[in-house]
Amino acid sequence: MSDTHAETVLFVRETMLPQQEPPSSSTGAIGWARQNLFSGWLNSVITVVAGLFIIGLVLHIVPWFVSPTWMATSLNECRDMVTAAGHTDGACWGVIRERWQQLLFGFYPPELYWRPVVALLMLFVAIAPVLFSDFVSRKLLVVTAAFPFVMPWLLWGGTVWTPVMAALGFVIGYLVFRGFSGRVAGGLALFIAAIVAVLWWVLLSGLVAGAFASVLPLALTEVQSRAFGGFMLSITIGVAAIGCSLPIGILLALGRQSDLPLVKYMCVGFIEFIRGVPLITLLFVASTLLNIFLPPGTNFDIIVRVIIMDTLFASAYMAEVVRGGLAALPKGQYEGADSLGLNYWQAQRLIIMPQALKISIPGIVSTFIGVFKDTTLVSIISMFDPIGLSNAIRANQAWNGVYWELFIFIGAIFFVFCFSMSRYSMYLEKKLQTGHR
Amino acid sequence: MTDTAFQTTAAPSSLKVSDEVAIEIVNMNKWYGNFHVLRDINLTVNRGERIVIAGPSGSGKSTMIRCINRLEEHQSGKIIVDGTELTSDLKNIDKIRSEVGMCFQHFNLFPHLTILENCTLAPIWVRKVPRKEAIDTAMHFLEKVKIPDQANKYPGQLSGGQQQRVAIARSLCMKPRIMLFDEPTSALDPEMIKEVLDTMIQLAEEGMTMLCVTHEMGFARQVANRVIFMDQGQIVEQNEPEEFFNNPRSERTKLFLSQILGH
């Protein structure tokens, strides 16, 4: 055997030791509980006290939750039902039964509820190939591309030619870019394409859409923006702001690192200005001041204005989050990309951004969650997001004084969305884990 | 490092050096702020030459070869690579970079891509080679550096020596005419140095023009046709390896050699 002998210094191992199982007391449920809950007398006492506290809390809250007030039509009726059931206190769930549709859709015409529902389902189909590229066919990206045009049409209605012409603007821009890209510098070609597309949208698309509509009048009933409300409004603003803020944020972060002073200081100025101003201020600007600066008679939709402000706000934060990811990348990655002859945009797209964004995932998703929850701030400018609606519901005599039940319902739905985002970010981090850096 | 780090024998004299000029550096100067890092560098490298650049740390040897593919910008003088002068013209820079391969001390592989993707990325995007062909080329070079079986792993799963060989293969996939090595073995465990040096020797034997910043004097002796010694941002001495090691002329070179060979 290969034991050391005290009398000699020479030691040669002849047999290598095989791996052995860990001792059973450190594994399994009992091992876990012993290590984590009862590892000493103090920890045991804390465990017991905490357990009792949790039980007590549940025993107090559950009876309040299970109160037989689902069918009530007013707060007074709730109270009568609670007393009749022999309780002193209980939730008044009647308000949810009566008003849940309003909390979801605001004042959207009930016979058209299918439209936001279809838009939501389409949203899920549209983001699936982006979020779960491993499981979902890339062909569904067609839906993703169509979604930004179909969603507004479904929600606001009007002629089908408007979204078609809007999409056509991108096609025209792309064709112009292709036409010029061989002949002039890439940046210039992009600029010309953008100008042509904007001219198309501003000057021509309306006329062409009108002409098509008069020939082939395919249209949905129009719904005004002031009818929008509830979670439909929150999700519309949130999805648009989230979807636009990431690419804009990335460009701002890159711009901030640019060698060109003009680009750099414009980006820095934008980011610092937006981050230095409260979101509510921006929303007030959107709702009131903007009208003063616009030419009289222009009808610039309030929801679009809010989406723009939310997007700008989120982009500034996003830019800083992405900048953090960029700063965390070793300089060698840039040099590796440079030494292979990749140009700036190729290096950014193929090497730098995939890694920087991966590092920034927690921050990016936090910003997304923040943006989504901040949509409730539009209640300040008298739009009926869920919080605004809860005030409107309380303005009704029958439900004056109902707070908890509404907020619990609203909170629960927000939680489902935000928690999903948070879990998704953890899934994504795990998926993109490729060993040590 | 000792010069016994590696013992394979090849006769450097059997390797041909052509008269064609690959790199020409004329009166090149560079400053970091007020610090004059490279002072009046003049160097002509012919095609097929294997040059080892040695010198104490901070002597500017890395900076010099990094100027050749413009990872560092020089402020005066001329650098002409393959007949193209390095100016601030981005097109020239990208062209030169795609002709000049480079291996770094810390490999600089892309950790989010597999070994194969690391090797095919630049050919596909810069050279516009069809994907299929790029994969074939990549596998060819991965076989050459003896790690084709790791092609679908990520860099983080490989040892340092394997990563450096991948980095060499990645550069070779661009079919460069010149290879620059910036201390390719300095971050490696002693057991892994040999496998990387073997790869570099093989490359030299195939006639690649190489500039290596390295402290592997055994490698210099065996493969280089010229050793350049730098100190304080200038070329102090250059000679054939035998002469350079056996009969150094400048005091600074003698001191340096006694420091690194004497232990």
Side-chain angles (χ1 to χ4, degrees):
Chain A
M1 297 309 286
S2 54
D3 291 344
T4 17
H5 298 285
E7 65 270 19
T8 71
V9 179
L10 175 69
F11 167 69
V12 179
R13 184 175 288 288
E14 285 151 7
T15 50
M16 299 303 273
L17 299 177
Q19 282 207 36
Q20 287 178 341
E21 291 287 309
S24 63
S25 64
S26 66
T27 58
I30 296 172
W32 183 87
R34 187 178 290 170
Q35 267 182 16
N36 295 293
L37 299 178
F38 302 103
S39 59
W41 69 267
L42 181 63
N43 284 349
S44 304
V45 169
I46 292 174
T47 301
V48 170
V49 170
L52 289 176
F53 177 75
I54 293 170
I55 292 170
L57 206 62
V58 168
L59 286 180
H60 268 85
I61 290 175
V62 167
W64 184 85
F65 263 92
V66 286
S67 98
T69 49
W70 186 247
M71 297 310 293
T73 56
S74 73
L75 188 56
N76 286 333
E77 223 172 288
C78 274
R79 292 193 178 124
D80 293 344
M81 284 175 168
V82 169
T83 326
H87 298 299
T88 50
D89 198 10
C92 182
W93 297 118
V95 65
I96 305 297
R97 179 192 56 79
E98 196 183 281
R99 298 298 182 97
W100 68 271
Q101 290 176 318
Q102 205 175 39
L103 284 169
L104 296 186
F105 299 105
F107 302 106
Y108 209 80
E111 68 278 10
L112 299 178
Y113 278 170
W114 64 271
R115 275 160 46 178
V117 172
V118 169
L120 184 67
L121 292 177
M122 190 178 171
L123 169 67
F124 290 138
V125 178
I127 59 175
V130 180
L131 298 188
F132 302 100
S133 51
D134 291 357
F135 314 113
V136 182
S137 158
R138 290 175 63 89
K139 285 176 191 152
L140 279 181
L141 283 172
V142 176
V143 182
T144 315
F147 181 74
F149 306 102
V150 178
M151 185 203 74
W153 180 60
L154 278 172
L155 294 183
W156 276 275
T159 169
V160 73
W161 297 110
T162 308
V164 170
M165 291 306 140
L168 200 59
F170 283 96
V171 177
I172 291 173
Y174 175 72
L175 290 178
V176 170
F177 177 72
R178 280 287 298 274
F180 275 96
S181 63
R183 279 168 245 169
V184 295
L188 188 62
L190 197 64
F191 184 70
I192 295 172
I195 295 283
V196 172
V198 168
L199 285 178
W200 160 261
W201 284 319
V202 173
L203 299 177
L204 284 176
S205 69
L207 295 176
V208 179
F212 271 102
S214 59
V215 178
L216 193 61
L218 286 173
L220 289 173
T221 321
E222 276 197 49
V223 179
Q224 295 302 314
S225 285
R226 61 174 175 274
F228 281 46
F231 277 98
M232 191 192 112
L233 181 65
S234 293
I235 293 173
T236 308
I237 298 174
V239 166
I242 285 173
C244 299
S245 65
L246 184 59
I248 298 177
I250 290 173
L251 290 179
L252 284 172
L254 291 178
R256 194 168 185 161
Q257 295 201 321
S258 172
D259 294 334
L260 309 170
L262 185 67
V263 174
K264 179 175 175 175
Y265 290 113
M266 272 170 57
C267 290
V268 171
F270 176 85
I271 292 168
E272 298 303 341
F273 171 73
I274 297 280
R275 290 203 311 163
V277 176
L279 179 55
I280 292 185
T281 317
L282 294 177
L283 291 177
F284 269 119
V285 169
S287 83
T288 56
L289 285 179
L290 220 51
N291 274 347
I292 298 172
F293 297 117
L294 289 172
T298 27
N299 180 23
F300 195 17
D301 191 272
I302 178 70
I303 294 183
V304 175
R305 279 183 267 160
V306 167
I307 286 176
I308 290 173
M309 284 304 179
D310 258 350
T311 304
L312 295 183
F313 190 75
S315 309
Y317 280 86
M318 195 61 71
E320 290 298 281
V321 169
V322 173
R323 191 168 68 96
L326 286 172
L329 272 193
K331 197 164 163 255
Q333 290 295 309
Y334 292 89
E335 290 179 352
D338 283 348
S339 73
L340 288 169
L342 295 170
N343 66 34
Y344 176 79
W345 289 109
Q346 287 172 333
Q348 290 299 338
R349 187 160 54 87
L350 301 166
I351 309 300
I352 306 303
M353 273 306 148
Q355 296 183 64
L357 292 180
K358 187 191 124 189
I359 297 170
S360 332
I361 287 171
I364 290 174
V365 175
S366 284
T367 311
F368 281 172
I369 290 175
V371 170
F372 184 50
K373 290 191 299 185
D374 282 353
T375 58
T376 53
L377 285 176
V378 298
S379 59
I380 299 283
I381 54 169
S382 45
M383 288 173 79
F384 291 103
D385 80 299
I387 300 293
L389 273 172
S390 81
N391 292 332
I393 290 170
R394 266 193 304 279
N396 186 320
Q397 190 85 54
W399 301 114
N400 194 351
V402 175
Y403 286 91
W404 283 97
E405 296 79 357
L406 288 169
F407 287 142
I408 287 173
F409 180 77
I410 295 166
I413 294 184
F414 267 113
F415 181 79
V416 168
F417 279 101
C418 296
F419 188 64
S420 315
M421 284 193 247
S422 148
R423 299 311 292 191
Y424 175 75
S425 94
M426 292 173 81
Y427 155 82
L428 195 61
E429 274 178 73
K430 217 176 229 171
K431 186 181 108 174
L432 297 179
Q433 188 67 44
T434 56
H436 321 282
R437 291 208 294 125
Chain B
M1 281 296 144
T2 64
D3 52 346
T4 51
F6 117 103
Q7 303 277 350
T8 0
T9 41
S13 54
S14 70
L15 298 173
K16 282 196 294 279
V17 172
S18 89
D19 296 336
E20 194 188 337
V21 175
I23 302 170
E24 195 178 358
I25 301 178
V26 184
N27 298 336
M28 190 248 284
N29 282 280
K30 176 171 175 58
W31 288 263
Y32 284 133
N34 286 327
F35 180 56
H36 199 172
V37 261
L38 291 178
R39 307 181 196 174
D40 201 31
I41 303 285
N42 283 289
L43 178 67
T44 305
V45 181
N46 286 346
R47 195 160 298 293
E49 276 205 277
R50 299 143 329 264
I51 295 180
V52 162
I53 301 157
S57 68
S59 60
K61 48 197 192 313
S62 286
T63 311
M64 184 180 85
I65 71 163
R66 286 158 59 87
C67 282
I68 294 173
N69 65 353
R70 194 72 169 198
L71 289 181
E72 306 279 355
E73 203 174 322
H74 60 283
Q75 276 107 15
S76 76
K78 264 203 248 182
I79 301 178
I80 300 165
V81 181
D82 258 342
T84 313
E85 190 183 342
L86 268 176
T87 56
S88 51
D89 185 343
L90 287 173
K91 272 206 178 115
N92 280 352
I93 293 173
D94 283 340
K95 178 169 172 286
I96 285 171
R97 283 175 176 167
S98 66
E99 302 292 338
V100 177
M102 180 148 193
C103 290
F104 300 87
Q105 182 176 3
H106 297 290
F107 331 133
N108 298 354
L109 293 177
F110 306 130
H112 63 299
L113 300 175
T114 63
I115 300 307
L116 189 62
E117 288 165 344
N118 263 281
C119 294
T120 55
L121 184 103
I124 289 175
W125 290 97
V126 179
R127 288 254 190 275
K128 315 287 181 201
V129 171
R131 183 172 296 271
K132 175 85 180 48
E133 196 186 318
I135 290 175
D136 290 345
T137 315
M139 288 312 293
H140 167 74
F141 284 113
L142 285 174
E143 256 156 53
K144 204 159 157 182
V145 300
K146 302 192 182 68
I147 31 178
D149 45 325
Q150 314 280 1
N152 290 314
K153 288 192 180 169
Y154 287 96
Q157 296 165 301
L158 269 54
S159 73
Q162 289 174 322
Q163 290 193 42
Q164 191 61 289
R165 283 183 285 151
V166 171
I168 295 174
R170 178 177 77 175
S171 298
L172 293 179
C173 284
M174 288 295 280
K175 310 257 171 76
R177 309 180 64 174
I178 299 164
M179 284 288 289
L180 308 174
F181 293 87
D182 189 0
E183 304 205 23
T185 55
S186 300
L188 297 177
D189 289 344
E191 278 187 315
M192 295 170 182
I193 291 178
K194 185 177 181 308
E195 62 187 50
V196 171
L197 290 181
D198 280 343
T199 310
M200 290 167 63
I201 293 170
Q202 197 188 348
L203 205 57
E205 285 168 355
E206 287 167 11
M208 177 66 79
T209 311
M210 293 165 69
L211 274 83
C212 311
V213 172
T214 183
H215 299 296
E216 297 296 330
M217 291 305 138
F219 173 79
R221 224 177 248 256
Q222 187 191 335
V223 175
N225 69 319
R226 211 173 355 149
V227 179
I228 291 177
F229 179 72
M230 289 182 71
D231 188 35
Q232 296 179 19
Q234 42 219 313
I235 294 177
V236 174
E237 183 165 347
Q238 52 172 310
N239 211 335
E240 289 178 355
E242 278 312 305
E243 276 293 287
F244 178 83
F245 289 111
N246 298 338
N247 189 14
R249 311 284 161 89
S250 93
E251 287 306 313
R252 186 65 189 89
T253 316
K254 284 177 193 163
L255 179 66
F256 178 76
L257 288 177
S258 72
Q259 304 270 16
I260 64 164
L261 299 177
H263 65 91

